[in-house]
Amino acid sequence: MQKTVSLVLSSGGARGIAHVGVIEEIERRGYAIGSISGTSMGALVGGIYAAGGLGLFKEWMTTLDRMDVFSLVDFTISGRGLVKGDKVLKEMKKIIPDLNIEDLRIPYAAIATDIINGEEIVFEKGSLYDAIRASVSIPTVFTPFEYNGLTLVDGGVVNPIPINRVKRKKDDLLFVVDVNAKVPFKRIKKKQEILEERKLAKDKRFSKYVNLFTDKFNSLIPKNEKDKLGYINLISKSTNLMVHQISQMAIEKGKPDVLVNFPYEAYGIFDFYKAADIIQLGAEIAKLALDEFEKKG
């Protein structure tokens, strides 16, 4: 009898593309995914899968190079974030049309945060893309999503691994993917990657995008903080520590049957142009996790 998986996908920026490889490995092994909950990129990948568009999404993502990714960034002069996030979702809708969550083929839940009231918001109905846009709104990077009078940001602020939001069935397997795991990893740059970085360093268009991004970010930093070394790094490390601590508590409480720990150090949150490699690593780690689970069972 085919085992049913209740799948939980974490937040994690570009590392969340690894969820694609994990899902492919789950299906390759003969398991049926019966429900999904996700936060941020987990909500995006999980939602696209539930809509039946994972193959198209993978095909699109793996064709994007660094310049393509930057061209999808719609910068804003707003003091509430650097990027509006509408441009990339508009492109996605061209290949995967919007659906109501109620019409998806499996139960799905996306997590966002009501930043004003400090409350978790769970999307289980309504527009899939509204749910995704709300859930991926990383504070200081994406502008908040205004929805029904609420100001919503990334669900990772309150629930980066929404184990408590996935719809469970009797005798299912609770399968959790954490792409922010603090596990050992050593990534060796490929020759092609090094050559690409050298080429881009000489590309005036790329430099223009980088400078624009830097200027926008600096405009959000308080003047008395701009001269303090490591300000941006401090924000990043503080956020990562918070997410890790919340994630660990959720995992310990949820007791997943299978846990995929994708190393935090493997890729950065903006490495979307490395989608093919991220997906491959996700599949490889999922294979190891399933091998271990099946050996015990």
Side-chain angles (χ1 to χ4, degrees), residues 2-3 5 7 9 17-33 45 49 54 58 173 175 177 258 260 278-294:
Q2 191 178 39
K3 273 284 189 180
V5 165
L7 183 61
L9 305 177
I17 302 172
H19 295 315
V20 175
V22 174
I23 290 172
E24 288 180 335
E25 183 61 24
I26 289 172
E27 293 195 322
R28 191 157 41 235
R29 298 289 275 261
Y31 296 91
I33 298 173
V45 173
Y49 171 77
L54 195 67
K58 177 184 177 180
L173 294 178
F175 198 114
V177 187
V258 183
V260 174
I278 296 173
I279 290 169
Q280 181 180 342
L281 182 58
E284 290 172 0
I285 296 174
K287 182 180 184 301
L288 293 174
L290 280 167
D291 284 345
E292 186 65 26
F293 169 74
E294 291 174 357

Side-chain angles (χ1 to χ4, degrees), residues 99-215:
L99 290 170
N100 284 325
I101 294 172
E102 308 95 291
D103 297 329
L104 298 177
R105 56 183 180 165
I106 58 175
Y108 164 83
I111 312 305
T113 303
D114 175 355
I115 197 63
I116 303 300
N117 299 306
E119 296 178 353
E120 178 181 359
I121 303 298
V122 183
F123 283 85
E124 295 179 302
K125 61 182 181 179
S127 162
L128 173 61
Y129 277 102
D130 278 354
I132 290 172
R133 175 62 181 86
S135 190
V136 302
S137 302
I138 303 172
T140 74
V141 178
F142 288 98
T143 55
F145 183 61
E146 302 296 335
Y147 179 82
N148 288 347
L150 302 176
T151 301
L152 305 180
V153 300
D154 196 303
V157 173
V158 291
N159 197 354
I161 302 185
I163 296 174
N164 61 327
R165 299 304 181 184
V166 72
K167 290 287 188 295
R168 302 292 306 274
K169 294 180 180 178
K170 185 180 180 181
D171 298 325
D172 67 352
L173 294 178
L174 179 59
F175 198 114
V176 175
V177 187
D178 179 9
V179 297
N180 301 300
K182 290 189 175 181
V183 293
F185 180 75
K186 184 177 182 180
R187 187 172 75 86
I188 300 173
K189 283 189 178 181
K190 297 179 180 179
K191 183 178 180 180
Q192 184 61 35
E193 188 177 349
I194 294 172
L195 291 174
E196 182 192 353
E197 289 179 351
R198 289 175 180 171
K199 180 182 177 181
L200 283 169
K202 299 177 182 179
D203 192 317
K204 291 183 180 179
R205 291 179 305 153
F206 180 69
S207 297
K208 175 185 174 183
Y209 278 120
V210 171
N211 291 336
L212 181 59
F213 183 87
T214 302
D215 291 344

Side-chain angles (χ1 to χ4, degrees), residues 42 86 94 178 214 232 235:
D86 299 331
K94 291 179 182 178
D178 179 9
T214 302
I232 295 175
I235 293 175

